[in-house]
Amino acid sequence: MILDTETFKSDFKRKLITMYRQSVDTAGDTLKYMALGSLMMDYMSGAWHETETRYQSECRKRVYYFSLEFLIGRLMDSALINLGIRDVVYEGLKELGTDLKLLEDIEPDAGLGNGGLGRLAACFIDSMASLGIAGTGIGIRYRFGLFEQQIKNGYQIESPDNWLKIANVWETRRDDEACMVKFGGTPMLHWGDDGRLYVELKDYEPILAVPYDMPVPGFRNGTVNTLRLWSAETDGPGFDFAMFSKGDHEKAIESTNSVNAITNVLYPDDSTERGKLLRLKQEYFFTSAGLQSILKGLKREGFPLSRLHERVAVHINDTHPALAVPELMRLLIDEEGMGWDSAWNVTVNTIGYTNHTILAEALEKWNVPMFKKLLPRIYMIVEEINRRFTGELSRRYNGDWGKLASMSIIQDGVVKMAYLAIVGSHSVNGVAELHTEILKNQELRSFNEFYPDRFNNKTNGISHRRWLMQANPELTALINESIGCGWQKEPERLSELGRFTQDGAFLEKLRAVKLEKKRQLSSYIHERLGIDVDPSSLFDIQVKRLHMYKRQLLNILHVMYLYNKICDDPKAEIQPRTFLFGAKAFPGYQLAKNTIKLICTVADRVNTDPAVKGRIKVVFIPNYGVSIAEKMIPAGDLSEQISTASKEASGTGNMKFMMNGAVTIATMDGANVEIHREVGDDNIIIFGMSSDEVIGYQNNGGYSACEMLGKDARLSRIIGQMKEGYFAAAPANEFELIIKHLTDDNDPYFTLRDFDSYVKAQEKVSGLYTDKVSWSRMSAVNIARSGVFSSDNTIKRYASEIWHV
Ligand code: 26Q
């Protein structure tokens, strides 16, 4: 986009007047932010409209990415960068006496996701727009996003994330595109004049689905795609008018409340399955609304739905939108009069499914009675899909009942959503090579045998625009100065930095950039938490959802060990380090919350003990989310990717750190395996059990955590200290849950088992860090090799191998 400072200034001033009747001198920052956002919407509107018109006139095949989560964070900066007008706007505002950064800080994070899966969806729509792929995100406009986290006395306190407390400048409500989603009711069967059986749903509860569209601007390519988020509303007054007039107001609006509840709040769950009716409602609600609007668009054009898969690819982000399979069947059969076989052919060829987890407890299953009651017609279709599928199995395996029973979509009174998704789509992919292999050879082995061409890998990626250009303008400038700007459009060209890894002047500048990002983070920590950290210490960072398999516990055990070591020998040589954590725990996950308390308790003691002053510091940064990630990740020297091997499907934080020049300490898990392959042994620190070993132990037992504890004095001492309340503030039995997890439950994630190997790896890190030049060389190699992990690369593969666009 072409824009000069003077034009911008006059546009902005006019905007303030038309929106708020204010001048730059009288308007406060919030109004200025809103006006700037609205102006950006104006700037994008032409390209947004042209993009849609172009897709239509070119009859382009469309991709619809269905996801219950879109963790997009803030939009202002990325819109400014993608339109290429950030500098002009910055200058213009400066001339008007306003700091763009202050305005940007007013924007609430759109935190409509839990973690990796939701952030991946956000990176993917960004990449689709930047590659000019006709991709639309379909999701829910939650009234409240992922809860806000405060830490009080070391405990996590949750409060609602009211992200819409100031109006969302980026959204456009599309009343014209609203549609009806039907819950409950009774399916009535009747024969049509054409001799076919028709099904009509009677006495259902109608819920109005209203879409809100947000722009997804591509990177300087004139493309603006759409993120369409659905909101549930009542049709009409939505409450009992008679009751209302009688004065029973509260009762009268109850039904309104229950309708609004559908899209009220995001489930704050990361990978533990929860059989909640409301969650199933959410899943059906947005899947149905999304599919209805797709079909409506095609019918408007007169495109034959029997060839739907030629014009549309529907991708489902995990099984959360897996009801797309029976819902598309329902729409094609019941509403469009298609026969089963052609509807099935269209459905399977349209839908692709990504699996994001191998944790058995995270695989979605729904109780049959609940399912049937909420979605009776959909249940009938699932039964029919399963009847035909098990029929095929029976023919193929000569009536082997064991096989049939274990692969049946409906099993032991539950509907297994992963199985439904596999049977109903033409592609099933894992999110890193190792993950895909485990799916193919272990978890979903029999499905892979039955559908050998269906399974494939698509290693995750991250938007280098957000995670490098936007989060780290200082590093971006250094890269531009060294290799030019080509990498911005072709991220694999970051490899051109390879020629600077031996260049002393470059490495010195790289160290200066890192130090600057650490200073910025230090001042944030000082302002927010009143803790002083030393920017010259090694910043060792673990940020991600709190889960036992991710092993924040292993990290903090290592800190406790180091602390003991310094106390025992005050002269011990220890590389000064700042251990930084950021993590939200699912509100019902007590063990995870207990781990947060442990981290904060250790932090209290370590940070106040004069004996360790200037050597180690521990900081838990509350309310970790996209915007805080943008501050923390560029400041990392060491990236902690220490999950129990085989448990982390991919990880994407690992890629973000790498791209910002952190060195990784990692187990051979998820995408760490591929990062290791890219950078080579010398530029990553690997430790711990392999996934084969973990799986072996899990299958055959043979690991005793208590024996481990007995053998390792460092560990038994730490556990003893936790028991006796040694680490300040906390009472003696505070960490009972963790201790029970490690002992009585036999340490299911092999934390104790990997401890020794982790300590040695950390010693190696400390040694390497003392040589500043060789450390920054490792850092440079990591940046240079990170281009393959751009989500542009990932999306290109989805586009050619799954979506065929
Ligand atoms: C399921 C049922 C009921 C309620 C909630 C859920 C639920 C919600 C969120 C289940 C799973 C999730 C999120 C999973 C997730 O974020 N997985 C991560 O996906 C990333 C992107 O592929 C990977 O990099 C991570 O390894 C994986 O953990």
Side-chain angles (χ1 to χ4, degrees):
M1 180 186 170
I2 317 264
L3 183 72
D4 62 75
T5 322
E6 288 313 310
T7 314
F8 166 73
K9 279 172 20 190
S10 84
D11 288 352
F12 181 68
K13 286 193 276 194
R14 189 158 352 106
K15 201 60 187 185
L16 271 174
I17 289 178
T18 53
M19 276 179 92
Y20 302 111
R21 294 159 308 282
Q22 303 263 342
S23 70
V24 241
D25 305 319
T26 58
D29 285 344
T30 303
L31 293 192
K32 285 183 187 160
Y33 158 73
M34 300 290 293
L36 181 59
S38 172
L39 186 55
M40 293 295 294
M41 286 293 277
D42 292 349
Y43 288 160
M44 283 187 278
S45 58
W48 201 356
H49 175 244
E50 275 159 30
T51 302
E52 181 55 38
T53 319
R54 183 160 44 83
Y55 290 160
Q56 280 190 12
S57 71
E58 291 170 1
C59 297
R60 287 276 287 277
K61 184 169 182 183
R62 308 288 193 110
V63 177
Y64 294 93
Y65 197 82
F66 279 66
S67 176
L68 214 37
E69 306 191 6
F70 284 93
L71 197 41
I72 40 197
R74 290 174 173 156
L75 262 76
M76 182 72 85
D77 209 28
S78 78
L80 288 166
I81 291 176
N82 285 1
L83 296 194
I85 57 173
R86 194 177 193 283
D87 294 342
V88 171
V89 168
Y90 180 86
E91 273 311 309
L93 286 174
K94 197 164 140 193
E95 288 172 24
L96 296 173
T98 299
D99 182 357
L100 171 61
K101 284 204 156 142
L102 282 181
L103 301 193
E104 286 180 336
D105 262 341
I106 289 172
E107 179 171 4
D109 264 40
L112 310 182
N114 275 288
L117 167 150
R119 182 55 229 177
L120 187 75
C123 286
F124 277 8
I125 55 173
D126 173 287
S127 283
M128 284 193 275
S130 294
L131 294 170
I133 292 172
T136 304
I138 306 282
I140 287 184
R141 181 183 181 268
Y142 298 103
R143 179 63 191 78
F144 297 94
L146 185 62
F147 66 88
E148 217 173 89
Q149 178 197 55
Q150 285 177 295
I151 300 293
K152 290 203 173 128
N153 190 27
Y155 298 104
Q156 167 176 299
I157 310 289
E158 303 102 24
S159 50
D161 162 50
N162 191 8
W163 72 293
L164 294 170
K165 63 177 175 284
I166 61 172
N168 180 2
V169 282
W170 309 109
E171 67 185 12
T172 314
R173 183 183 157 99
R174 291 293 301 267
D175 290 285
D176 58 319
E177 289 283 322
C179 63
M180 199 63 78
V181 178
K182 302 171 184 175
F183 288 101
T186 316
M188 307 293 278
L189 284 78
H190 58 86
W191 295 98
D193 298 337
D194 53 2
R196 282 184 42 194
L197 191 61
Y198 286 88
V199 181
E200 199 190 340
L201 198 60
K202 284 263 190 300
D203 304 325
Y204 54 82
E205 185 192 3
I207 304 287
L208 189 68
V210 185
Y212 287 73
D213 287 351
M214 291 167 80
V216 184
F219 180 64
R220 297 174 201 174
N221 65 352
T223 294
V224 180
N225 283 346
T226 302
L227 170 60
R228 173 161 282 191
L229 302 178
W230 293 89
S231 176
E233 291 186 7
T234 45
D235 194 11
F239 53 80
D240 190 329
F241 221 82
M243 206 181 282
F244 191 79
S245 346
K246 272 193 249 151
D248 197 347
H249 296 175
E250 224 151 281
K251 200 142 192 174
I253 58 169
E254 235 167 49
S255 66
T256 321
N257 291 342
S258 83
V259 170
N260 293 337
I262 297 177
T263 52
N264 205 34
V265 62
L266 167 80
Y267 267 75
D269 200 330
D270 183 59
S271 71
T272 50
E273 194 271 329
R274 327 206 69 241
K276 283 277 166 59
L277 179 65
L278 193 55
R279 169 90 181 181
L280 185 57
K281 274 194 185 172
Q282 290 186 335
E283 295 185 351
Y284 183 66
F285 171 77
F286 96 107
T287 308
S288 175
L291 288 173
Q292 287 185 51
S293 82
I294 295 169
L295 296 193
K296 196 158 92 185
L298 282 177
K299 280 165 65 181
R300 218 179 284 153
E301 261 182 57
F303 189 81
L305 296 182
S306 56
R307 289 166 46 205
L308 178 70
H309 52 288
E310 294 171 22
R311 283 288 288 281
V312 168
V314 166
H315 205 88
I316 58 175
N317 199 18
D318 215 290
T319 56
H320 316 158
L323 290 170
V325 174
E327 174 65 0
L328 186 52
M329 289 296 284
R330 184 190 72 80
L331 290 167
L332 294 174
I333 296 171
D334 294 359
E335 316 249 319
E336 305 300 333
M338 211 182 268
W340 182 280
D341 290 326
S342 31
W344 184 246
N345 176 51
V346 166
T347 299
V348 172
N349 284 307
T350 300
I351 297 178
Y353 156 56
T354 299
N355 174 291
H356 296 265
T357 187
I358 47 165
L359 298 183
E361 67 268 28
L363 295 176
E364 286 192 296
K365 331 182 224 349
W366 298 108
N367 284 328
V368 168
M370 181 179 85
F371 195 122
K372 226 169 160 167
K373 183 150 182 258
L374 186 70
L375 307 166
R377 174 59 181 145
I378 294 297
Y379 187 74
M380 284 170 66
I381 294 172
V382 172
E383 266 187 326
E384 181 60 16
I385 293 171
N386 196 39
R387 195 185 65 78
R388 290 171 184 245
F389 171 60
T390 48
E392 274 179 62
L393 288 176
S394 176
R395 282 188 291 281
R396 167 82 169 267
Y397 299 110
N398 298 316
D400 174 346
W401 279 104
K403 200 85 181 170
L404 240 96
S406 71
M407 294 175 75
S408 177
I409 297 168
I410 305 171
Q411 243 182 69
D412 307 323
V414 295
V415 181
K416 296 198 148 189
M417 299 303 274
Y419 296 0
L420 177 62
I422 297 168
V423 174
S425 48
H426 64 285
S427 166
V428 178
N429 74 281
V431 290
E433 287 169 13
L434 176 67
H435 169 61
T436 303
E437 284 312 302
I438 295 175
L439 289 179
K440 281 162 62 173
N441 302 322
Q442 321 260 345
E443 302 311 303
L444 300 173
R445 187 185 189 113
S446 35
F447 284 92
N448 184 45
E449 271 164 19
F450 191 69
Y451 299 120
D453 302 329
R454 212 162 270 200
F455 285 75
N456 64 91
N457 177 249
K458 295 285 168 287
T459 298
N460 283 164
I462 56 166
S463 162
H464 63 285
R465 287 167 290 275
R466 179 165 295 251
W467 295 107
L468 179 48
M469 295 168 59
Q470 189 182 323
N472 202 339
E474 296 84 352
L475 181 55
T476 301
L478 174 58
I479 298 172
N480 291 345
E481 167 195 321
S482 311
I483 59 170
C485 297
W487 63 276
Q488 300 185 352
K489 289 235 172 198
E490 296 166 78
E492 263 149 296
R493 289 178 60 187
L494 280 170
S495 63
E496 291 166 24
L497 284 173
R499 46 177 219 272
F500 293 91
T501 53
Q502 304 292 339
D503 178 330
F506 174 85
L507 297 179
E508 197 178 320
K509 286 184 202 156
L510 183 58
R511 285 197 294 281
V513 166
K514 184 59 86 181
L515 186 62
E516 171 57 21
K517 297 314 279 182
K518 288 163 76 175
R519 284 208 181 103
Q520 290 171 8
L521 180 60
S522 303
S523 32
Y524 175 81
I525 292 171
H526 177 83
E527 277 162 35
R528 292 295 159 102
L529 307 170
I531 302 174
D532 288 312
V533 300
D534 174 6
S536 72
S537 65
L538 188 165
F539 276 24
D540 175 333
I541 310 188
Q542 186 171 19
V543 282
K544 47 185 80 252
R545 278 302 285 268
L546 213 140
H547 203 294
M548 297 322 281
Y549 85 78
K550 296 180 186 281
R551 298 201 297 193
Q552 283 92 351
L553 183 55
L554 179 58
N555 187 341
I556 199 68
L557 289 179
H558 170 245
V559 177
M560 294 160 85
Y561 154 75
L562 271 186
Y563 176 71
N564 284 336
K565 189 169 158 176
I566 302 174
C567 291
D568 291 349
D569 175 10
K571 293 204 184 64
E573 257 198 42
I574 290 204
Q575 165 64 46
R577 272 206 211 203
T578 304
F579 295 90
L580 295 140
F581 293 85
K584 288 180 182 176
F586 170 60
Y589 193 173
Q590 293 310 327
L591 202 42
K593 291 180 139 179
N594 207 210
T595 307
I596 292 182
K597 176 65 180 168
L598 179 62
I599 295 169
C600 295
T601 306
V602 172
D604 273 350
R605 172 136 193 171
V606 167
N607 298 348
T608 52
D609 186 340
V612 295
K613 197 168 164 34
R615 311 177 84 179
I616 57 176
K617 273 257 159 86
V618 181
V619 182
F620 187 96
I621 298 187
N623 206 34
Y624 181 67
V626 175
S627 289
I628 293 181
E630 287 166 12
K631 297 185 202 301
M632 292 183 78
I633 291 172
D637 291 308
L638 185 67
S639 157
E640 296 271 354
Q641 308 300 335
I642 59 179
S643 54
T644 312
S646 81
K647 303 291 181 192
E648 188 72 272
S650 162
T652 44
N654 45 5
M655 301 166 184
K656 295 165 196 162
F657 276 105
M658 173 194 194
M659 199 174 267
N660 280 280
V663 174
T664 307
I665 182 166
T667 49
M668 285 293 248
D669 198 16
N672 300 346
V673 176
E674 290 155 73
I675 293 179
H676 172 249
R677 189 172 62 219
E678 285 300 320
V679 300
D681 261 334
D682 292 343
N683 297 294
I684 187 169
I685 292 97
I686 298 290
F687 76 98
M689 297 164 79
S690 68
S691 65
D692 284 341
E693 283 175 275
V694 170
I695 293 167
Y697 270 128
Q698 274 173 345
N699 293 340
N700 308 314
Y703 167 60
S704 161
C706 288
E707 210 172 283
M708 197 82 232
L709 268 180
K711 278 195 298 208
D712 194 321
R714 300 165 300 183
L715 282 172
S716 42
R717 177 176 180 191
I718 294 167
I719 300 291
Q721 290 171 329
M722 280 165 68
K723 277 188 188 157
E724 87 209 9
Y726 174 80
F727 284 92
N733 58 355
E734 181 80 64
F735 303 114
E736 220 169 60
L737 275 180
I738 292 176
I739 292 166
K740 178 175 167 293
H741 172 78
L742 291 177
T743 56
D744 299 356
D745 299 342
N746 199 32
D747 182 21
Y749 295 109
F750 303 95
T751 304
L752 303 178
R753 168 67 213 247
D754 273 347
F755 178 77
D756 181 60
S757 167
Y758 183 57
V759 169
K760 291 194 173 110
Q762 288 287 21
E763 281 164 0
K764 184 170 169 193
V765 168
S766 295
L768 290 167
Y769 194 74
T770 52
D771 182 346
K772 296 283 170 270
V773 174
S774 75
W775 185 272
S776 49
R777 186 171 302 134
M778 290 166 71
S779 169
V781 171
N782 272 271
I783 302 167
R785 297 270 145 224
S786 67
V788 293
F789 298 109
S790 165
S791 46
D792 289 8
N793 191 20
T794 312
I795 283 297
K796 280 183 189 162
R797 290 169 202 239
Y798 274 87
S800 70
E801 294 163 24
I802 301 178
W803 303 329
H804 307 296
V805 294

